[in-house]
Amino acid sequence: MARRVSRGFLALLVMPAVVSAGLILVSNRGSEDVAPVETTTIAAVTVPETLALTTTTSAPPTTTSAPPPPSTRPVVPPPGSPGSDEEPAIFLPDLPPEAVQIAAMGDVNLGGTIGELIARSGPGFPWRRVSGLLNAADIAIVNFECSASHRGTPEAKQYTFQADPASLPAMREAGVDIASLANNHSLDFGPDALLDTAANLSAAGMTPLGAGANEDAAWK
């Protein structure tokens, strides 16, 4: 797919939290990794020996406030939110020609039950209703919350996800350019699997970010 290079106006397209009827994204609800009194923001940390991820942890809030009263206004879906039988619309169709459009998706997991679905229906199935939107953007970035490797063993945690690397070319064909690995599932199957994941993403034509064999590589 040809990509145009432009300068000037920048448009950020934030994808809905669930796409393709919920087949791609998996939340961390119920995960042991979610602490009730602190939040984790992706930015920098060093992990043991030869592996590094980028992440920082923010301090818990010192004050609390009462929750706001429930809104009485009707819920309006965001632009581009697909109905049961419709394709997502392009968010901003009237941008100037020099605009750069960035599609930013949330957590993408191709393992677990999604991996089972891919095995039955093909690697392109989870992307079928969002590929048009992602390919329309100049840059599409996702948070890749699983391992894509045949190596490693599950870590001692409640939720671990590992995808078949053969599912990655379909992710690229759907329009994904960049995959962040700075998250709490990158080491689900250990350091070797994480390095495999970065290499497999690169081999499929995508750019992995936020992890590497050392701190310099993680920050690169």
Side-chain angles (χ1 to χ4, degrees):
M1 179 189 66
R3 295 275 178 177
R4 57 187 171 87
V5 178
S6 53
R7 296 184 176 88
F9 192 90
L10 177 67
L12 176 64
L13 310 183
V14 180
M15 294 293 292
V18 178
V19 295
S20 191
L23 300 180
I24 297 176
L25 307 186
V26 173
S27 74
N28 285 326
R29 285 182 298 176
S31 170
E32 82 293 353
D33 300 310
V34 180
V37 296
E38 64 179 29
T39 59
T40 299
T41 304
I42 299 309
V45 76
T46 302
V47 292
E49 297 180 352
T50 62
L51 199 64
L53 294 170
T54 56
T55 186
T56 57
T57 302
S58 62
T62 56
T63 60
T64 59
S65 58
S71 173
T72 58
R73 289 186 290 181
V75 176
V76 179
S81 296
S84 58
D85 298 312
E86 65 185 63
E87 294 290 329
I90 301 302
F91 280 42
L92 301 172
D94 56 349
L95 291 173
E98 69 274 14
V100 175
Q101 297 191 62
I102 299 174
M105 294 182 65
D107 299 347
V108 171
N109 171 22
L110 301 180
T113 56
I114 309 304
E116 296 171 4
L117 177 67
I118 288 173
R120 293 195 306 267
S121 303
F125 184 78
W127 304 97
R128 61 191 176 93
R129 290 177 57 210
V130 295
S131 60
L133 183 59
L134 296 178
N135 276 291
D138 295 287
I139 301 171
I141 181 171
V142 304
N143 185 37
F144 195 66
E145 288 248 343
C146 64
S147 164
S149 171
H150 294 301
R151 295 200 293 170
T153 56
E155 292 293 310
K157 54 190 293 192
Q158 185 175 3
Y159 297 105
T160 57
F161 301 108
Q162 189 168 48
D164 186 344
S167 63
L168 296 181
M171 178 172 157
R172 178 68 187 100
E173 291 171 7
V176 176
D177 300 291
I178 299 170
S180 172
L181 298 177
N183 59 66
N184 61 319
H185 286 288
S186 290
L187 284 167
D188 277 2
F189 282 75
D192 289 339
L194 173 56
L195 295 178
D196 284 352
T197 301
N200 290 331
L201 285 164
S202 295
M206 292 170 282
T207 300
L209 298 179
N214 52 53
E215 189 172 3
D216 289 341
W219 279 101
K220 184 176 179 181

